[in-house]
Amino acid sequence: MKEIIAVLLIALFYSCGTSTGPFIVNEGLLIENVSIIASDENGEVKNHKGFILIDNAKIIYSGKEKPNVKGSFKTVNGNGKYAIPGLIDSHVHLNNIAGINFRQRKSHALLVQEYFERLPKNFLYFGYTTLIDVDNYAPNTIKTLKNAPIRPEIYTCGKKVQVMDDFEMVMNEEPQNERYKLPFLHDKYNENVKYPDSIHLEEHSVASLISGIALEDNICVKTLYEDASSGFKQVWEVPTVKIMQDLVAEAHAEELLVVMHATSYEGQKFAVETNIDIIAHAMWNWTAHPEEFLNTNLPETHKKLLLEISNKHIGYQPTFRVILAEKDILDYTFKDAPILKSLYTPSYVDWLQSEEAQWGRNIILARPKFLEKMNPHFFNPIRSQFSSDEEMFEELYKSYELKIQKVVRLLAENNANLLFGTDNGAMNMYTHPPGYNGYLEMQHWFDAGVPLEQIFKAATYNNAKAFGLIGSIGTLGIGKTANILILNLNPLETLEAYNDIQFVLINGKLIERKKLTAPYDDVN
Ligand SMILES: [Zn+2]
């Protein structure tokens, strides 16, 4: 007991930053005279000049005084530079490929391989040292990525929990007998759904699903809510409040967080009612009434709900990229962006120029026809306001962007628990290049009026705290994993700082940023 108290006292002493050693290190790294920008343990962003000492992948000292270091160590001159915690993207889909859809994978196996080989470095190149895959539907891909010699840390939610006959099962046109084979959730409070006798419903209970997810080394559970305001005719089942409350309670008992995909007012109201921890996506669907669909005046009801989300400190991932990556793909110049040559192999860059790779754009262009057929009651009143599909798309994306901006600005002004996530890989569209997509997402936050300090916090402290990872990442405190970025510019002054990285430290390993690019792969 006495020893424990002594250890605690020493830890307290070190964390005050008053001790300067001597530190005896065997594989140390000392970052000298650097501007240290990080949240303290209470989440307050601090900025001061000082020293960071790393040994064995951990931060062992961080403070204003130069520490007395003995043993084997390297030094980095941080003069004029900024040290920040590595960035966290808390919403990615690592098995999705930015540019190759699931049908194309077999016939382009080499490109698929090249893509996945580049993926970890691409995230690191833009400073993402931690990724959270919210729907681990392909555990083998995650396993392979975890074997990469240089990679971000990866955490996962389990495979997404779907209730029988929900939005995705219906929209994916999954045949009924195939649906029964999925690990679906049986909503025992919903009597609309009938099951054949051969189905063992106890295998599809809340308890059974959650214990499976907990066993697989996940930190969270993802689920979803979609309603008619998505523009589709609602022919699917939505979960009942009771089953979702059961799911959340069971997940919490297993120390798992619950992330809910909810893009609408109704969905986010449902998320609040059911004690969801983290809402995925901004509220971009405001109404199921077509005549109100393009109206961008935030209704009072919605404001009230967003304030409640702020006050309750519910995690909130705006994910502008889901919508704006679609807008980018229509624009048709994204595939020519010079940055892609740093991220991908030459053959992958060539692929993006091919006719075959334009499938994502073609899907969006075909959407009016699809909606007209599927839900004319909703679609026609909107389409009739425009003389062409092009004009409609332009106005539609403009109104989506404006809606998300208004929602996110209101949340930021009320100090909501904003969490930085990109939905990287959404729909496999090529306008989500790993890493670079995060830089674009940040620009969207900035354009919406979110202050730089809040963007910084959302991508570091808030994400770490919300996902239960603050013990090891999210700040530069003593004992944290040495995931650190050395920037040439101050991220509290300019967003460009996130694209002007000199070094990335991952688990204490110092990597020059340019060595993470695709052209450099051949040098090694
Ligand atoms: Zn997602």
Side-chain angles (χ1 to χ4, degrees):
M1 188 63 191
K2 250 186 199 155
E3 265 169 56
I4 294 172
I5 292 171
V7 169
L8 285 175
L9 282 174
I10 290 169
L12 203 68
F13 190 56
Y14 279 140
S15 62
C16 298
T18 49
S19 168
T20 51
F23 295 94
I24 299 147
V25 297
N26 48 46
E27 236 185 293
L29 182 76
L30 177 63
I31 307 167
E32 300 186 300
N33 288 314
V34 71
S35 289
I36 301 170
I37 301 177
S39 299
D40 64 15
E41 293 309 304
N42 301 316
E44 202 178 316
V45 177
K46 297 277 167 69
N47 181 359
H48 68 85
K49 203 135 193 204
F51 298 79
I52 301 172
L53 179 63
I54 296 151
D55 194 31
N56 292 321
K58 294 263 184 264
I59 297 172
I60 62 168
Y61 171 82
S62 173
K64 290 177 185 167
E65 306 296 319
K66 184 171 180 165
N68 176 7
V69 190
K70 292 199 158 73
S72 161
F73 68 99
K74 285 186 209 153
T75 56
V76 172
N77 179 4
N79 220 340
K81 302 192 189 305
Y82 303 84
I84 67 165
L87 305 175
I88 304 164
D89 185 338
S90 65
H91 193 132
V92 298
H93 297 281
L94 293 173
N95 187 50
N96 291 20
I97 298 178
I100 299 179
N101 66 36
F102 291 107
R103 254 179 302 125
Q104 293 168 330
R105 285 192 182 198
K106 265 214 176 103
S107 48
H108 295 288
L110 200 59
L111 289 172
V112 170
Q113 190 191 331
E114 287 176 7
Y115 178 87
F116 280 117
E117 279 170 6
R118 287 292 316 153
L119 181 97
K121 286 184 185 173
N122 288 340
F123 276 111
L124 290 176
Y125 182 77
F126 277 95
Y128 293 91
T129 55
T130 302
L131 306 172
I132 300 170
D133 190 318
V134 291
D135 180 9
N136 187 10
Y137 67 91
N140 284 336
T141 299
I142 303 290
K143 250 183 233 160
T144 309
L145 288 171
K146 282 186 175 175
N147 283 329
I150 299 170
R151 63 167 177 91
E153 292 189 56
I154 298 170
Y155 295 91
T156 53
C157 297
K159 184 178 173 5
K160 180 168 56 197
V161 173
Q162 298 182 279
V163 299
M164 179 47 76
D165 293 343
D166 73 358
F167 175 75
E168 281 186 26
M169 285 194 200
V170 172
M171 296 311 284
N172 289 341
E173 296 175 7
E174 199 86 64
Q176 199 74 45
N177 56 338
E178 289 299 316
R179 290 181 205 174
Y180 294 132
K181 290 180 199 160
L182 298 169
F184 66 87
L185 173 62
H186 163 50
D187 186 346
K188 62 184 177 187
Y189 307 106
N190 180 355
E191 284 168 9
N192 294 339
V193 186
K194 307 280 177 244
Y195 300 91
D197 293 341
S198 57
I199 302 296
H200 302 288
L201 287 176
E202 68 281 2
E203 288 169 16
H204 301 275
S205 66
V206 161
S208 161
L209 251 70
I210 293 295
S211 69
I213 290 171
L215 277 174
E216 288 164 358
D217 195 27
N218 297 298
I219 62 168
C220 43
V221 176
K222 170 135 185 258
T223 180
L224 79 154
Y225 186 101
E226 275 284 353
D227 58 71
S229 63
S230 56
F232 300 107
K233 191 169 172 196
Q234 196 176 326
V235 288
W236 59 87
E237 295 297 323
V238 292
T240 61
V241 168
K242 277 186 173 167
I243 198 75
M244 195 51 66
Q245 286 173 341
D246 289 358
L247 185 88
V248 172
E250 187 73 23
H252 288 175
E254 293 281 357
E255 292 180 3
L256 295 163
L257 296 152
V258 184
V259 180
M260 176 178 271
H261 162 110
T263 58
S264 66
Y265 169 71
E266 292 296 335
Q268 300 199 351
K269 204 167 91 183
F270 181 84
V272 172
E273 250 180 309
T274 54
N275 311 314
I276 294 294
D277 301 290
I278 293 155
I279 294 172
H281 312 305
M283 185 200 292
W284 56 62
N285 290 329
W286 289 2
T287 174
H289 298 291
E291 57 281 0
E292 281 294 310
F293 198 74
L294 292 165
N295 186 345
T296 55
N297 294 320
L298 187 61
E300 283 306 314
T301 45
H302 296 39
K303 272 188 201 164
K304 212 177 135 213
L305 178 63
L306 291 164
L307 290 178
E308 193 181 350
I309 289 168
S310 302
N311 293 337
K312 289 191 167 158
H313 216 64
I314 298 169
Y316 203 97
Q317 302 173 322
T319 67
F320 281 83
R321 286 308 290 161
V322 178
I323 300 293
L324 297 183
E326 286 196 0
K327 188 181 157 201
D328 284 345
I329 215 167
L330 285 179
D331 182 42
Y332 212 48
T333 57
F334 192 95
K335 61 183 182 1
D336 308 323
I339 182 70
L340 300 181
K341 291 197 168 112
S342 296
L343 301 178
Y344 298 134
T345 57
S347 43
Y348 200 85
V349 174
D350 286 348
W351 154 257
L352 294 179
Q353 296 288 338
S354 71
E355 195 45 48
E356 219 188 331
Q358 310 316 314
W359 61 269
R361 189 166 183 267
N362 296 336
I363 285 179
I364 298 172
L365 291 175
R367 234 181 243 161
K369 274 223 164 61
F370 172 75
L371 285 170
E372 190 182 0
K373 202 171 136 215
M374 201 211 165
N375 200 6
H377 163 78
F378 187 87
F379 178 73
N380 291 339
I382 297 173
R383 178 64 180 80
S384 66
Q385 298 173 45
F386 304 101
S387 57
S388 66
D389 282 355
E390 288 70 36
E391 198 189 308
M392 178 187 67
F393 278 127
E394 207 180 313
E395 287 307 311
L396 217 54
Y397 283 111
K398 233 188 247 170
S399 77
Y400 270 129
E401 186 172 9
L402 203 55
K403 283 193 234 177
I404 307 174
Q405 286 182 340
K406 286 191 177 179
V407 165
V408 174
R409 192 159 54 233
L410 184 75
L411 290 166
E413 282 165 1
N414 289 283
N415 215 10
N417 188 16
L418 292 174
L419 307 180
F420 188 83
T422 55
D423 207 0
N424 206 89
M427 313 267 296
N428 298 298
M429 300 244 174
Y430 72 65
T431 41
H432 286 267
Y436 180 51
N437 204 33
Y439 185 53
L440 296 174
E441 176 75 20
M442 282 187 174
Q443 288 173 20
H444 301 321
W445 287 43
F446 187 74
D447 293 344
V450 182
L452 286 167
E453 186 174 312
Q454 280 190 51
I455 297 174
F456 171 79
K457 227 181 118 175
T460 55
Y461 180 89
N462 288 0
N463 262 341
K465 182 93 179 162
F467 281 89
L469 303 170
I470 197 70
S472 61
I473 55 170
T475 77
L476 296 179
I478 291 160
K480 297 281 163 94
T481 303
N483 293 342
I484 305 173
L485 310 181
I486 310 282
L487 311 176
N488 294 315
L489 297 169
N490 183 344
L492 303 181
E493 282 171 6
T494 171
L495 206 60
E496 278 165 43
Y498 297 104
N499 195 20
D500 200 349
I501 302 171
Q502 181 156 21
F503 293 110
V504 177
L505 272 100
I506 180 78
N507 281 304
K509 189 178 158 57
L510 183 77
I511 308 167
E512 235 182 302
R513 188 195 196 197
K514 66 168 188 256
K515 294 192 176 170
L516 293 162
T517 59
Y520 215 91
D521 285 343
D522 300 329
V523 177
N524 289 342

